[in-house]
Amino acid sequence: MSEPRRFALTPGEPAGIGPDLCLLLARQAQPHILVAIASRELLEQRAAQLGVPITVIAVGPSAWPSAPASAGSLYVWDTPLAAPAQAGHLDPHNAAYVLETLRRAGQGCLDGDFAGMITAPVHKGVINQAGVPFSGHTEFLAELTHTEQVVMMLATHGLRVALVTTHLPLKDVAAAITPERLERVTRILHADLVEKFGIAQPRILVCGLNPHAGEGGHLGREELDIIAPSLARLRDEGFDLIGPLPADTLFTPKHLEQCDAVLAMYHDQGLPVLKYKGFGAAVNVTLGLPIIRTSVDHGTAMDLAGTGRIDTGSLQVALETAYQMAGSRR
C-alpha cells in the first residue's frame, strides 16, 4: 500500500445533491486523505437533514491532516456561503462561493497541496444568473491553469471515450473537425493515457464521422480528406491508432477488448454508448490540464437534494479514478 495522498473534493452547487454525496460517502473510510472544500455549516445542516451522523473536522493550509479520516468523519476546509443554502432551492448569491471552492481546489493542486481534485456537479445556469460568465468546470480550470486546449473523456469499467468536439450543434460538427483540432486532441489523449494512466503505448480506436465511415467517399469525404490523413501523420510518429472505423460497429467487444480508449468525433456519437454501459458508475476526466481532475457523470438533481434517495456510485468511481491516476502519474 502506497503512502496516502491528499485530494480535494468540491461539493458543487450547495442546493443540489453534491453536499449529500460527500456526506454519504464519508460513512466509509477512504484509502487517501479527502478534504471537502465547502461550507462547514452547510455540511453540518445537511447531515442533520439527512439523519447521517458525520463528524466534520476542520482543516486547512495551516493544518493539513496526515492520515485518512476514519469512517463517519469528513475533513472540511471551511469556505463560507454568501447566503443560507436550502436543499432544492437555487440562490444566485452563492455563485461566488461555488467558484471559490473550485479556485481553492485547483490552486491547491497547482501548489502541490493536493494530488488531484474531484468535483460534484455545479449548476451553470444559476452562476450565469449571478452575472458571472461560466461555461463549466472544464473551462474554469483551463483558465485557472493557463491551459489552451483540454479534452473531455468519460470512462467506466472497460471503456474510455474521448471527444474531438463536445457541446456543439450537430450542424456545426463537420466544420469543426479540422486536421489541426483532430491532431491536437489525439496528442492530448495519447499523452495523458501515458502520463496519468500509466499506459506505455496506448492503442486508440478512432471513429469516422459519417455512417459506415463515409463508405469510401459515397457518404461524405471527411474520412478521406481529413481523418485518415491526420491519423497517418500521427502513426508516422509512433502513435498506435486504428481507424477511422464505422462507429456502429466499433463499439463491440471484438474491437474494444483490443484498445485503451475510443476517440469519438462528437458528443452523441460516443457518450450514449458509454452511459448505456456504465451510467451511475462513470466518471468525467478532463485531459490536458497540468492537474488531475475527475468528476461525476450526472447533474445537480435538485429534486433529490436533502432526501437521501441518491446513488454515490459515480462519485465513488470519480474518487477511485483520481486515486489511480495519481498513483500512475509519471
Side-chain angles (χ1 to χ4, degrees), residues 34 49 71 78 88-89 120 142 185 201 203 220 246 260 281:
L34 202 57
Q49 182 175 351
D78 187 32
H89 297 273
V185 168
Q201 184 59 37
R203 169 167 286 190
D260 298 296

Side-chain angles (χ1 to χ4, degrees), residues 16 40 57 93 137 142 185 219 282:
R40 179 175 181 173
I57 303 171
H93 290 99
H137 282 106
V185 168
L219 295 176

Side-chain angles (χ1 to χ4, degrees), residues 175-262:
I177 299 174
T178 62
E180 295 77 17
R181 180 194 285 256
L182 180 56
E183 292 187 31
R184 189 165 60 242
V185 168
T186 306
R187 289 182 190 280
I188 291 170
L189 173 59
H190 175 92
D192 270 14
L193 288 173
V194 173
E195 180 191 348
K196 295 176 182 173
F197 288 86
I199 302 169
Q201 184 59 37
R203 169 167 286 190
I204 300 169
L205 299 186
V206 182
C207 296
L209 171 65
N210 297 296
H212 301 179
E215 195 78 71
H218 295 289
L219 295 176
R221 294 195 55 85
E222 285 82 5
E223 288 77 12
L224 294 176
D225 296 342
I226 297 172
I227 302 174
S230 298
L231 300 186
R233 286 190 290 272
L234 292 169
R235 287 192 196 98
D236 288 343
E237 298 180 23
F239 286 59
D240 189 355
L241 305 171
I242 310 299
L245 297 174
D248 63 341
T249 54
L250 180 155
F251 290 100
T252 54
K254 178 183 75 170
H255 291 296
L256 295 179
E257 65 189 14
Q258 303 295 328
C259 83
D260 298 296
V262 173

Side-chain angles (χ1 to χ4, degrees), residues 9-258:
L9 173 62
T10 59
E13 168 53 48
I17 63 170
D20 310 39
L21 289 169
C22 297
L23 292 163
L24 295 175
L25 202 73
R27 293 180 299 182
Q28 290 85 38
Q30 293 290 325
H32 292 280
I33 303 163
L34 202 57
V35 177
I37 302 178
S39 162
R40 179 175 181 173
E41 181 181 11
L42 166 67
L43 291 176
E44 289 177 338
Q45 288 176 347
R46 193 67 60 86
Q49 182 175 351
L50 293 171
V52 178
I54 299 295
T55 300
V56 173
I57 303 171
V59 299
S62 61
W64 291 127
S66 57
S70 59
S73 298
L74 180 63
Y75 293 129
V76 177
W77 182 4
D78 187 32
T79 308
L81 289 165
Q86 183 179 353
H89 297 273
L90 294 168
D91 188 339
H93 290 99
N94 282 321
Y97 155 82
V98 173
L99 298 180
E100 176 62 11
T101 65
L102 298 179
R103 189 200 65 77
R104 286 186 172 188
Q107 191 61 50
C109 290
L110 290 173
D111 295 342
D113 291 330
F114 304 116
M117 61 183 288
I118 301 96
T119 61
V122 297
H123 194 288
K124 299 175 189 177
V126 76
I127 296 175
N128 282 278
Q129 188 180 341
V132 181
F134 182 79
S135 301
H137 282 106
T138 302
E139 294 80 4
F140 180 91
L141 293 172
E143 182 176 352
L144 179 70
T145 60
H146 306 291
T147 303
E148 290 187 10
Q149 176 73 46
V150 293
V151 173
M152 178 179 177
M153 183 177 81
L154 268 72
T156 190
H157 299 294
L159 180 61
R160 302 183 184 100
V161 177
L163 302 176
V164 177
T165 64
T166 52
H167 301 124
L168 283 179
L170 193 56
K171 66 181 178 62
D172 297 334
V173 167
I177 299 174
T178 62
E180 295 77 17
R181 180 194 285 256
L182 180 56
E183 292 187 31
R184 189 165 60 242
V185 168
T186 306
R187 289 182 190 280
I188 291 170
L189 173 59
H190 175 92
D192 270 14
L193 288 173
V194 173
E195 180 191 348
K196 295 176 182 173
F197 288 86
I199 302 169
Q201 184 59 37
R203 169 167 286 190
I204 300 169
L205 299 186
V206 182
C207 296
L209 171 65
N210 297 296
H212 301 179
E215 195 78 71
H218 295 289
L219 295 176
R221 294 195 55 85
E222 285 82 5
E223 288 77 12
L224 294 176
D225 296 342
I226 297 172
I227 302 174
S230 298
L231 300 186
R233 286 190 290 272
L234 292 169
R235 287 192 196 98
D236 288 343
E237 298 180 23
F239 286 59
D240 189 355
L241 305 171
I242 310 299
L245 297 174
D248 63 341
T249 54
L250 180 155
F251 290 100
T252 54
K254 178 183 75 170
H255 291 296
L256 295 179
E257 65 189 14
Q258 303 295 328

Side-chain angles (χ1 to χ4, degrees), residues 225-310:
D225 296 342
I226 297 172
I227 302 174
S230 298
L231 300 186
R233 286 190 290 272
L234 292 169
R235 287 192 196 98
D236 288 343
E237 298 180 23
F239 286 59
D240 189 355
L241 305 171
I242 310 299
L245 297 174
D248 63 341
T249 54
L250 180 155
F251 290 100
T252 54
K254 178 183 75 170
H255 291 296
L256 295 179
E257 65 189 14
Q258 303 295 328
C259 83
D260 298 296
V262 173
L263 182 59
M265 291 297 120
Y266 57 95
H267 188 281
D268 281 13
Q269 182 182 60
L271 297 194
V273 180
L274 184 132
K275 292 194 175 186
Y276 176 76
K277 177 177 173 60
F279 191 75
V283 57
N284 187 336
V285 183
T286 305
L287 305 179
L289 295 172
I291 65 176
I292 290 171
R293 180 257 170 165
T294 66
S295 181
V296 295
D297 71 341
H298 56 73
T300 53
M302 305 296 294
D303 57 322
L304 297 178
T307 68
R309 301 193 308 271
I310 58 174

